[in-house]
Amino acid sequence: MTSADPAAREAARLLDRCRAEVRPDLVDAVGRLHPWLAEMAGYAFGWCEVGGAARRTADGGKGVRQALAVLGAEAAGAPARRGAPAAVAAELVHVFSLLHDDVMDGDLTRRQRDTVWRAYGTGPAVLAGDALFALAVETVARPRDTGQGAATVRMLSGALGDLVRGQADDLLFSSRPWAGEQAVRVDEYLAMAEGKTGALLGCAAAMGAAMGGAAEPASSALDRAGRSMGVAFQLADDVLGLWGDPAVTGKPVHGDLRERRKTYPVLAALRSETPAGRALRTVLERDGDPAEAAALAEEAGGRTAALAEAHRHLAAARSALSEPTLGPRAVRELTALAEYAVRRHR
């Protein structure tokens, strides 16, 4: 998706606005950590270099979870500021999960820099992730005018449980065969993606709405919308992981295939019962050339199937956002972010 695309411009505007709203609170929260842990967190957020020197061009990521929390509060008719604590907590949990994911997966780079474990060591990276997790819980547990502290802690703990289950499945999938009775089914993959990616997006939107004073039907609708958006987001990530430009994605090309990660396009291609699908199985089972495997997955319809599934989840997100108590402007902006999640593969 290019900068000339109106949808891309709208998504960028929304993300910039919400990041600007949340950034002071996020910086303040990280500043409460032990200085060494705060430095590693700042490095993970893209704010500083190893040693703590500020980056000339800070890159804190897209901030989708922050935006969902802010827009969740606005959808409830509250000012954006009411959703800031939810946005901070969601972003802290997201970065915590990335730090631990990189350790578990052995990834060397993220956003075209060394991962935290590679820059600081495995133990420190795990500790920094733990600190961010604890800080996230503290952030939503603080007493607030809305009286929603207990409710938002329950939302966050539920999402964390789903996230961990999704991560466990993702790790276990890598040891399962590419074909046969023990092969990963696409429905298993989608359930994993909802837990690993969708749960936190849904939680961010729902917590923002709860902090904005929304009733349960509205926060539940936003949770469903965020979960569907998260699955669409993961499917688009799968497409980028196989066929995206590393200069754009910040990840090595075909890294998922090299690590034997089961992604939707590959699973769909293997189930296609096409000559390319059968050839793909042979290449994967002998640990053949990842570039060849990616080409065969596309020929067998893996890219098309993944994008079609992403659009189905996008439709589900739109349906959830039709909840009548949600503010129409925030719904339009949430829909724009959902569409961005699918369209960014271009």
Side-chain angles (χ1 to χ4, degrees), residues 217-218 221-222 224-225 315-327 331 334-335:
L222 288 167
R224 293 194 304 274
R318 290 196 191 101
S319 177
L321 291 172
S322 66
E323 160 64 37
T325 61
L326 297 175
V331 166
L334 285 162
T335 301

Side-chain angles (χ1 to χ4, degrees), residues 146-171:
T146 61
Q148 292 292 336
T152 51
V153 168
R154 286 195 297 273
M155 290 178 188
L156 186 62
S157 63
L160 283 164
D162 288 345
L163 188 156
V164 170
R165 282 190 289 272
Q167 179 65 62
D169 283 337
D170 194 29
L171 287 172

